Short mmCIF file of all heavy atoms in Angstrom, two decimals:
data_model
loop_
_atom_site.label_atom_id
_atom_site.label_comp_id
_atom_site.label_asym_id
_atom_site.label_seq_id
_atom_site.Cartn_x
_atom_site.Cartn_y
_atom_site.Cartn_z
N TRP A 165 36.10 36.52 -30.46
CA TRP A 165 36.37 36.38 -29.03
C TRP A 165 36.05 34.96 -28.56
O TRP A 165 36.84 34.30 -27.91
CB TRP A 165 35.54 37.40 -28.24
CG TRP A 165 35.46 37.07 -26.77
CD1 TRP A 165 36.43 37.28 -25.84
CD2 TRP A 165 34.37 36.41 -26.11
NE1 TRP A 165 36.01 36.80 -24.63
CE2 TRP A 165 34.75 36.26 -24.76
CE3 TRP A 165 33.12 35.96 -26.51
CZ2 TRP A 165 33.92 35.67 -23.82
CZ3 TRP A 165 32.29 35.36 -25.58
CH2 TRP A 165 32.69 35.21 -24.25
N TYR A 166 34.86 34.47 -28.94
CA TYR A 166 34.39 33.17 -28.45
C TYR A 166 35.34 32.04 -28.83
O TYR A 166 35.69 31.20 -28.00
CB TYR A 166 32.99 32.88 -28.98
CG TYR A 166 32.47 31.52 -28.57
CD1 TYR A 166 32.02 31.30 -27.27
CD2 TYR A 166 32.48 30.45 -29.45
CE1 TYR A 166 31.57 30.05 -26.87
CE2 TYR A 166 32.04 29.19 -29.07
CZ TYR A 166 31.58 29.01 -27.77
OH TYR A 166 31.16 27.76 -27.38
N GLY A 168 38.34 32.15 -29.33
CA GLY A 168 39.61 32.29 -28.65
C GLY A 168 39.56 31.85 -27.20
O GLY A 168 40.57 31.73 -26.54
N THR A 169 38.35 31.58 -26.68
CA THR A 169 38.23 31.14 -25.29
C THR A 169 38.51 29.65 -25.19
O THR A 169 38.64 28.95 -26.19
CB THR A 169 36.82 31.40 -24.74
OG1 THR A 169 35.89 30.58 -25.46
CG2 THR A 169 36.42 32.86 -24.87
N GLU A 170 38.60 29.16 -23.94
CA GLU A 170 38.83 27.74 -23.72
C GLU A 170 37.74 26.90 -24.38
O GLU A 170 38.00 25.89 -25.01
CB GLU A 170 38.84 27.45 -22.21
CG GLU A 170 40.00 28.08 -21.48
CD GLU A 170 39.90 27.87 -19.98
OE1 GLU A 170 38.81 27.52 -19.49
OE2 GLU A 170 40.92 28.06 -19.30
N LEU A 171 36.51 27.37 -24.22
CA LEU A 171 35.36 26.64 -24.76
C LEU A 171 35.42 26.62 -26.29
O LEU A 171 35.23 25.58 -26.93
CB LEU A 171 34.07 27.31 -24.29
CG LEU A 171 32.81 26.48 -24.28
CD1 LEU A 171 32.97 25.25 -23.41
CD2 LEU A 171 31.63 27.31 -23.78
N GLY A 172 35.70 27.79 -26.88
CA GLY A 172 35.79 27.88 -28.34
C GLY A 172 36.93 27.03 -28.88
O GLY A 172 36.79 26.36 -29.91
N ALA A 173 38.06 27.03 -28.16
CA ALA A 173 39.21 26.23 -28.60
C ALA A 173 38.86 24.74 -28.56
O ALA A 173 39.31 23.97 -29.41
CB ALA A 173 40.41 26.51 -27.70
N SER A 174 38.02 24.34 -27.60
CA SER A 174 37.65 22.93 -27.51
C SER A 174 36.77 22.54 -28.71
O SER A 174 36.82 21.41 -29.18
CB SER A 174 36.96 22.62 -26.19
OG SER A 174 35.67 23.17 -26.15
N ARG A 176 37.12 23.92 -31.75
CA ARG A 176 38.05 23.82 -32.88
C ARG A 176 38.83 22.52 -32.82
O ARG A 176 39.05 21.87 -33.83
CB ARG A 176 38.99 25.02 -32.89
CG ARG A 176 38.29 26.31 -33.32
CD ARG A 176 39.28 27.41 -33.55
NE ARG A 176 39.87 27.87 -32.30
CZ ARG A 176 41.14 28.25 -32.16
NH1 ARG A 176 41.94 28.22 -33.20
NH2 ARG A 176 41.58 28.65 -31.00
N ALA A 177 39.25 22.13 -31.61
CA ALA A 177 40.01 20.88 -31.47
C ALA A 177 39.15 19.69 -31.85
O ALA A 177 39.62 18.75 -32.50
CB ALA A 177 40.51 20.74 -30.03
N GLY A 179 36.76 19.56 -34.04
CA GLY A 179 36.66 19.48 -35.49
C GLY A 179 37.98 19.06 -36.13
O GLY A 179 37.99 18.35 -37.13
N SER A 180 39.08 19.48 -35.53
CA SER A 180 40.39 19.20 -36.11
C SER A 180 40.81 17.76 -35.89
O SER A 180 41.31 17.10 -36.80
CB SER A 180 41.42 20.15 -35.50
OG SER A 180 42.70 19.91 -36.04
N ASN A 181 40.65 17.24 -34.68
CA ASN A 181 41.08 15.89 -34.35
C ASN A 181 40.34 15.40 -33.10
O ASN A 181 40.79 15.63 -31.97
CB ASN A 181 42.60 15.88 -34.11
CG ASN A 181 43.13 14.49 -33.84
OD1 ASN A 181 42.37 13.55 -33.60
ND2 ASN A 181 44.44 14.35 -33.87
N ASN A 183 40.05 12.52 -31.72
CA ASN A 183 40.82 11.63 -30.85
C ASN A 183 41.68 12.41 -29.89
O ASN A 183 41.75 12.13 -28.69
CB ASN A 183 41.73 10.73 -31.69
CG ASN A 183 40.98 9.57 -32.28
OD1 ASN A 183 40.27 8.87 -31.56
ND2 ASN A 183 41.10 9.40 -33.58
N MET A 184 42.36 13.40 -30.46
CA MET A 184 43.22 14.24 -29.65
C MET A 184 42.37 15.00 -28.62
O MET A 184 42.74 15.11 -27.46
CB MET A 184 43.95 15.22 -30.57
CG MET A 184 44.83 16.22 -29.87
SD MET A 184 43.95 17.75 -29.52
CE MET A 184 45.32 18.76 -29.01
N ALA A 185 41.23 15.52 -29.07
CA ALA A 185 40.37 16.30 -28.18
C ALA A 185 39.95 15.47 -26.97
O ALA A 185 40.03 15.93 -25.83
CB ALA A 185 39.14 16.80 -28.95
N ARG A 186 39.53 14.23 -27.22
CA ARG A 186 39.11 13.38 -26.10
C ARG A 186 40.28 13.08 -25.17
O ARG A 186 40.13 13.06 -23.96
CB ARG A 186 38.48 12.09 -26.61
CG ARG A 186 37.03 12.23 -26.99
CD ARG A 186 36.39 10.88 -27.25
NE ARG A 186 36.96 10.25 -28.42
CZ ARG A 186 36.54 10.45 -29.66
NH1 ARG A 186 35.52 11.25 -29.88
NH2 ARG A 186 37.11 9.84 -30.67
N ALA A 187 41.46 12.84 -25.77
CA ALA A 187 42.65 12.56 -24.95
C ALA A 187 43.00 13.76 -24.08
O ALA A 187 43.66 13.61 -23.05
CB ALA A 187 43.83 12.17 -25.83
N GLN A 188 42.59 14.96 -24.50
CA GLN A 188 42.85 16.16 -23.69
C GLN A 188 41.65 16.48 -22.79
O GLN A 188 41.54 17.59 -22.27
CB GLN A 188 43.15 17.37 -24.58
CG GLN A 188 44.34 17.18 -25.51
CD GLN A 188 45.61 16.78 -24.79
OE1 GLN A 188 45.74 16.96 -23.58
NE2 GLN A 188 46.56 16.22 -25.52
N GLY A 189 40.72 15.53 -22.67
CA GLY A 189 39.62 15.71 -21.73
C GLY A 189 38.45 16.51 -22.27
O GLY A 189 37.62 16.99 -21.50
N ILE A 190 38.38 16.68 -23.59
CA ILE A 190 37.26 17.44 -24.16
C ILE A 190 36.12 16.48 -24.48
O ILE A 190 36.33 15.44 -25.10
CB ILE A 190 37.71 18.17 -25.45
CG1 ILE A 190 38.72 19.26 -25.10
CG2 ILE A 190 36.51 18.77 -26.18
CD1 ILE A 190 39.46 19.82 -26.30
N ASP A 191 34.92 16.84 -24.03
CA ASP A 191 33.74 16.05 -24.35
C ASP A 191 33.33 16.41 -25.78
O ASP A 191 32.67 17.42 -26.02
CB ASP A 191 32.62 16.40 -23.35
CG ASP A 191 31.41 15.51 -23.52
OD1 ASP A 191 31.29 14.88 -24.58
OD2 ASP A 191 30.59 15.45 -22.59
N THR A 192 33.76 15.57 -26.74
CA THR A 192 33.56 15.94 -28.15
C THR A 192 32.08 15.97 -28.54
O THR A 192 31.68 16.74 -29.39
CB THR A 192 34.32 14.96 -29.09
OG1 THR A 192 34.02 13.63 -28.70
CG2 THR A 192 35.81 15.18 -29.00
N ARG A 194 29.61 16.95 -26.61
CA ARG A 194 29.09 18.22 -26.12
C ARG A 194 29.55 19.36 -27.04
O ARG A 194 28.78 20.27 -27.35
CB ARG A 194 29.54 18.48 -24.68
CG ARG A 194 28.64 19.45 -23.95
CD ARG A 194 29.13 19.66 -22.54
NE ARG A 194 30.40 20.37 -22.56
CZ ARG A 194 30.72 21.35 -21.70
NH1 ARG A 194 29.86 21.71 -20.77
NH2 ARG A 194 31.88 21.94 -21.77
N ILE A 249 44.51 35.25 -43.14
CA ILE A 249 44.95 34.15 -42.30
C ILE A 249 44.23 34.20 -40.95
O ILE A 249 43.82 33.20 -40.40
CB ILE A 249 46.48 34.22 -42.06
CG1 ILE A 249 47.23 34.29 -43.40
CG2 ILE A 249 46.96 33.03 -41.24
CD1 ILE A 249 47.11 33.08 -44.27
N LYS A 254 38.87 35.47 -41.85
CA LYS A 254 38.28 34.31 -42.53
C LYS A 254 36.75 34.41 -42.50
O LYS A 254 36.08 34.09 -43.48
CB LYS A 254 38.73 33.01 -41.87
CG LYS A 254 40.13 32.61 -42.27
CD LYS A 254 40.50 31.27 -41.68
CE LYS A 254 41.89 30.88 -42.12
NZ LYS A 254 42.37 29.70 -41.43
N GLU A 316 68.00 18.18 -41.65
CA GLU A 316 68.20 17.97 -40.22
C GLU A 316 67.19 18.75 -39.39
O GLU A 316 66.59 18.23 -38.47
CB GLU A 316 69.61 18.41 -39.83
CG GLU A 316 70.66 17.36 -40.08
CD GLU A 316 70.36 16.06 -39.36
OE1 GLU A 316 70.22 16.10 -38.14
OE2 GLU A 316 70.24 15.01 -40.02
N ASN A 317 67.00 20.01 -39.76
CA ASN A 317 66.15 20.86 -38.96
C ASN A 317 64.67 20.60 -39.19
O ASN A 317 63.88 20.59 -38.26
CB ASN A 317 66.43 22.34 -39.27
CG ASN A 317 67.77 22.75 -38.69
OD1 ASN A 317 68.19 22.17 -37.69
ND2 ASN A 317 68.43 23.69 -39.32
N THR A 318 64.31 20.42 -40.45
CA THR A 318 62.88 20.33 -40.74
C THR A 318 62.30 18.96 -40.48
O THR A 318 61.12 18.81 -40.28
CB THR A 318 62.60 20.70 -42.21
OG1 THR A 318 63.50 19.97 -43.03
CG2 THR A 318 62.75 22.18 -42.44
N HIS A 319 63.15 17.94 -40.51
CA HIS A 319 62.60 16.60 -40.30
C HIS A 319 63.21 15.91 -39.09
O HIS A 319 63.40 14.71 -39.09
CB HIS A 319 62.80 15.74 -41.54
CG HIS A 319 61.98 16.21 -42.69
ND1 HIS A 319 60.68 15.85 -42.83
CD2 HIS A 319 62.27 17.04 -43.69
CE1 HIS A 319 60.19 16.43 -43.91
NE2 HIS A 319 61.14 17.16 -44.45
N ALA A 320 63.55 16.66 -38.09
CA ALA A 320 64.19 16.07 -36.92
C ALA A 320 63.26 15.07 -36.24
O ALA A 320 62.06 15.20 -36.31
CB ALA A 320 64.58 17.16 -35.95
N GLU B 75 36.05 8.16 -21.98
CA GLU B 75 37.43 8.53 -22.32
C GLU B 75 37.79 9.95 -21.88
O GLU B 75 38.82 10.18 -21.25
CB GLU B 75 37.58 8.39 -23.85
CG GLU B 75 38.99 8.51 -24.35
CD GLU B 75 39.03 8.32 -25.87
OE1 GLU B 75 37.96 8.13 -26.49
OE2 GLU B 75 40.13 8.36 -26.43
N HIS B 76 36.92 10.93 -22.21
CA HIS B 76 37.30 12.32 -21.94
C HIS B 76 37.35 12.62 -20.45
O HIS B 76 38.01 13.55 -20.02
CB HIS B 76 36.37 13.29 -22.67
CG HIS B 76 34.97 13.31 -22.16
ND1 HIS B 76 33.96 12.55 -22.71
CD2 HIS B 76 34.40 13.99 -21.15
CE1 HIS B 76 32.84 12.78 -22.06
NE2 HIS B 76 33.08 13.65 -21.10
N ALA B 79 40.67 11.31 -19.04
CA ALA B 79 41.81 12.10 -19.51
C ALA B 79 42.38 12.95 -18.37
O ALA B 79 43.55 13.33 -18.40
CB ALA B 79 41.39 13.00 -20.67
N ARG B 84 48.65 10.78 -22.88
CA ARG B 84 48.79 9.73 -23.90
C ARG B 84 49.59 10.18 -25.11
O ARG B 84 49.47 11.31 -25.56
CB ARG B 84 47.41 9.31 -24.40
CG ARG B 84 46.65 8.42 -23.46
CD ARG B 84 45.18 8.49 -23.77
NE ARG B 84 44.82 7.63 -24.88
CZ ARG B 84 43.61 7.67 -25.47
NH1 ARG B 84 42.72 8.54 -25.06
NH2 ARG B 84 43.34 6.85 -26.45
N MET B 90 49.88 11.50 -36.32
CA MET B 90 48.77 12.41 -36.63
C MET B 90 47.71 12.43 -35.53
O MET B 90 46.88 13.32 -35.48
CB MET B 90 48.08 11.98 -37.95
CG MET B 90 49.00 11.91 -39.14
SD MET B 90 49.74 13.49 -39.49
CE MET B 90 51.42 13.03 -39.89
N MET B 91 47.72 11.40 -34.67
CA MET B 91 46.63 11.21 -33.71
C MET B 91 46.68 12.15 -32.51
O MET B 91 45.65 12.54 -31.97
CB MET B 91 46.65 9.78 -33.18
CG MET B 91 45.97 8.77 -34.07
SD MET B 91 44.27 8.53 -33.59
CE MET B 91 44.44 7.24 -32.36
N GLY B 92 47.88 12.53 -32.08
CA GLY B 92 48.02 13.17 -30.78
C GLY B 92 47.92 14.69 -30.77
O GLY B 92 47.88 15.30 -29.71
N THR B 93 47.89 15.30 -31.97
CA THR B 93 47.83 16.76 -32.03
C THR B 93 46.77 17.19 -33.02
O THR B 93 46.37 16.43 -33.89
CB THR B 93 49.18 17.33 -32.50
OG1 THR B 93 49.66 16.55 -33.60
CG2 THR B 93 50.21 17.32 -31.40
N ALA B 94 46.31 18.45 -32.88
CA ALA B 94 45.33 19.00 -33.81
C ALA B 94 46.08 19.75 -34.91
O ALA B 94 46.66 20.81 -34.68
CB ALA B 94 44.37 19.93 -33.09
N ALA B 95 46.07 19.17 -36.13
CA ALA B 95 46.93 19.66 -37.22
C ALA B 95 46.61 21.09 -37.64
O ALA B 95 47.51 21.85 -37.99
CB ALA B 95 46.81 18.73 -38.42
N THR B 96 45.32 21.47 -37.58
CA THR B 96 44.95 22.79 -38.08
C THR B 96 45.11 23.88 -37.02
O THR B 96 44.78 25.03 -37.26
CB THR B 96 43.49 22.79 -38.58
OG1 THR B 96 42.65 22.40 -37.50
CG2 THR B 96 43.30 21.85 -39.74
N MET B 97 45.60 23.50 -35.84
CA MET B 97 45.80 24.50 -34.79
C MET B 97 47.29 24.73 -34.56
O MET B 97 48.13 23.91 -34.90
CB MET B 97 45.09 24.06 -33.50
CG MET B 97 43.58 23.96 -33.70
SD MET B 97 42.70 23.31 -32.28
CE MET B 97 42.63 24.72 -31.20
N GLU B 101 48.55 26.66 -29.34
CA GLU B 101 47.15 26.33 -29.06
C GLU B 101 47.01 24.88 -28.63
O GLU B 101 46.25 24.55 -27.71
CB GLU B 101 46.28 26.58 -30.30
CG GLU B 101 46.06 28.04 -30.61
CD GLU B 101 45.27 28.26 -31.89
OE1 GLU B 101 45.39 27.45 -32.83
OE2 GLU B 101 44.53 29.24 -31.96
N ASN B 102 47.78 23.99 -29.28
CA ASN B 102 47.77 22.59 -28.89
C ASN B 102 48.24 22.43 -27.45
O ASN B 102 47.66 21.69 -26.67
CB ASN B 102 48.67 21.78 -29.83
CG ASN B 102 47.93 21.25 -31.04
OD1 ASN B 102 47.34 20.18 -31.00
ND2 ASN B 102 47.94 22.02 -32.12
N LEU B 105 45.64 23.58 -25.02
CA LEU B 105 44.57 22.58 -24.85
C LEU B 105 45.02 21.53 -23.85
O LEU B 105 44.26 21.10 -22.99
CB LEU B 105 44.26 21.90 -26.19
CG LEU B 105 43.43 22.70 -27.20
CD1 LEU B 105 43.47 22.01 -28.55
CD2 LEU B 105 42.00 22.83 -26.72
N ALA B 106 46.30 21.10 -23.98
CA ALA B 106 46.83 20.07 -23.10
C ALA B 106 46.96 20.58 -21.67
O ALA B 106 46.77 19.83 -20.71
CB ALA B 106 48.18 19.58 -23.61
N ARG B 108 44.99 22.37 -20.18
CA ARG B 108 43.67 22.40 -19.55
C ARG B 108 43.04 21.02 -19.46
O ARG B 108 41.84 20.88 -19.21
CB ARG B 108 42.76 23.36 -20.32
CG ARG B 108 43.14 24.81 -20.09
CD ARG B 108 42.66 25.73 -21.19
NE ARG B 108 43.02 27.12 -20.93
CZ ARG B 108 44.24 27.62 -21.10
NH1 ARG B 108 45.21 26.83 -21.52
NH2 ARG B 108 44.50 28.88 -20.84
N ARG B 109 43.85 19.99 -19.68
CA ARG B 109 43.33 18.62 -19.61
C ARG B 109 42.72 18.35 -18.24
O ARG B 109 43.35 18.62 -17.22
CB ARG B 109 44.49 17.63 -19.86
CG ARG B 109 44.11 16.18 -19.82
CD ARG B 109 45.23 15.29 -20.34
NE ARG B 109 46.52 15.57 -19.72
CZ ARG B 109 46.86 15.13 -18.51
NH1 ARG B 109 46.03 14.40 -17.82
NH2 ARG B 109 48.03 15.44 -18.00
N ALA B 112 37.47 22.07 -16.29
CA ALA B 112 36.28 22.58 -16.98
C ALA B 112 36.71 23.67 -17.94
O ALA B 112 37.55 24.51 -17.60
CB ALA B 112 35.31 23.14 -15.95
N ARG B 113 36.21 23.63 -19.16
CA ARG B 113 36.56 24.66 -20.14
C ARG B 113 35.49 25.74 -20.12
O ARG B 113 34.32 25.47 -20.31
CB ARG B 113 36.72 24.03 -21.52
CG ARG B 113 37.96 23.15 -21.49
CD ARG B 113 38.19 22.34 -22.69
NE ARG B 113 39.03 21.21 -22.32
CZ ARG B 113 40.32 21.11 -22.65
NH1 ARG B 113 40.92 22.03 -23.35
NH2 ARG B 113 41.01 20.06 -22.27
N THR B 114 35.95 26.95 -19.88
CA THR B 114 35.01 28.05 -19.67
C THR B 114 35.24 29.15 -20.71
O THR B 114 35.89 28.93 -21.71
CB THR B 114 35.23 28.65 -18.27
OG1 THR B 114 36.55 29.20 -18.26
CG2 THR B 114 35.12 27.60 -17.20
N LEU B 115 34.72 30.33 -20.42
CA LEU B 115 34.89 31.45 -21.34
C LEU B 115 36.14 32.27 -21.02
O LEU B 115 36.32 33.37 -21.50
CB LEU B 115 33.64 32.34 -21.32
CG LEU B 115 32.40 31.67 -21.92
CD1 LEU B 115 31.18 32.56 -21.78
CD2 LEU B 115 32.61 31.32 -23.39
N ARG B 116 37.03 31.70 -20.21
CA ARG B 116 38.33 32.36 -20.01
C ARG B 116 39.15 32.24 -21.28
O ARG B 116 38.88 31.38 -22.12
CB ARG B 116 39.09 31.69 -18.85
CG ARG B 116 38.57 32.06 -17.47
CD ARG B 116 39.56 31.58 -16.41
NE ARG B 116 39.71 30.14 -16.45
CZ ARG B 116 39.08 29.30 -15.65
NH1 ARG B 116 38.25 29.75 -14.74
NH2 ARG B 116 39.27 28.00 -15.74
N PRO B 117 40.17 33.10 -21.45
CA PRO B 117 40.98 33.03 -22.67
C PRO B 117 41.58 31.64 -22.87
O PRO B 117 42.00 31.00 -21.92
CB PRO B 117 42.08 34.06 -22.43
CG PRO B 117 41.55 34.97 -21.40
CD PRO B 117 40.61 34.19 -20.55
N GLY B 118 41.62 31.21 -24.15
CA GLY B 118 42.16 29.89 -24.46
C GLY B 118 43.65 29.79 -24.23
O GLY B 118 44.21 28.72 -24.06
N LEU B 136 64.39 21.02 -30.81
CA LEU B 136 63.99 20.80 -32.20
C LEU B 136 63.72 22.13 -32.91
O LEU B 136 63.23 22.17 -34.02
CB LEU B 136 62.73 19.94 -32.27
CG LEU B 136 62.85 18.49 -31.79
CD1 LEU B 136 61.49 17.84 -31.71
CD2 LEU B 136 63.77 17.70 -32.69
N SER B 150 57.10 17.74 -38.89
CA SER B 150 57.39 16.35 -39.28
C SER B 150 56.82 15.40 -38.24
O SER B 150 56.44 15.81 -37.14
CB SER B 150 58.89 16.15 -39.39
OG SER B 150 59.46 16.20 -38.09
N GLY B 152 58.27 13.19 -36.41
CA GLY B 152 59.07 13.16 -35.20
C GLY B 152 58.79 14.37 -34.32
O GLY B 152 58.66 14.26 -33.10
N GLN B 153 58.69 15.53 -34.97
CA GLN B 153 58.40 16.75 -34.22
C GLN B 153 57.03 16.66 -33.57
O GLN B 153 56.84 17.07 -32.43
CB GLN B 153 58.45 17.97 -35.15
CG GLN B 153 59.87 18.34 -35.58
CD GLN B 153 59.89 19.43 -36.63
OE1 GLN B 153 59.00 19.52 -37.47
NE2 GLN B 153 60.90 20.26 -36.59
N MET B 161 53.12 17.55 -24.45
CA MET B 161 51.75 17.88 -24.07
C MET B 161 51.19 16.89 -23.06
O MET B 161 50.46 17.27 -22.14
CB MET B 161 50.86 17.90 -25.32
CG MET B 161 51.04 19.14 -26.17
SD MET B 161 50.40 18.93 -27.86
CE MET B 161 48.70 18.50 -27.54
N LYS B 182 66.76 7.17 -36.33
CA LYS B 182 67.45 8.29 -35.70
C LYS B 182 66.46 9.16 -34.90
O LYS B 182 66.71 9.53 -33.75
CB LYS B 182 68.12 9.13 -36.79
CG LYS B 182 69.34 9.86 -36.33
CD LYS B 182 70.05 10.45 -37.53
CE LYS B 182 70.61 11.81 -37.20
NZ LYS B 182 70.97 12.55 -38.39
N THR B 183 65.33 9.45 -35.53
CA THR B 183 64.30 10.25 -34.87
C THR B 183 63.71 9.50 -33.69
O THR B 183 63.46 10.07 -32.63
CB THR B 183 63.18 10.61 -35.86
OG1 THR B 183 63.76 11.06 -37.07
CG2 THR B 183 62.29 11.69 -35.30
#
Side-chain angles (χ1 to χ4, degrees):
Chain A
W165 164 78
Y166 177 76
T169 65
E170 294 175 343
L171 202 58
S174 71
R176 288 190 290 143
S180 180
N181 183 348
N183 280 310
M184 177 268 190
R186 277 190 294 273
Q188 302 305 342
I190 293 167
D191 186 342
T192 49
R194 202 180 68 139
I249 306 295
K254 281 184 179 172
E316 277 303 303
N317 288 332
T318 49
H319 292 276
Chain B
E75 190 178 2
H76 68 266
R84 283 159 81 190
M90 303 299 139
M91 278 266 272
T93 43
T96 58
M97 297 175 79
E101 288 177 328
N102 271 273
L105 283 168
R108 287 158 179 76
R109 180 169 51 79
R113 292 173 203 254
T114 63
L115 292 176
R116 284 192 299 262
L136 294 171
S150 70
Q153 287 173 327
M161 284 162 57
K182 208 170 142 195
T183 314

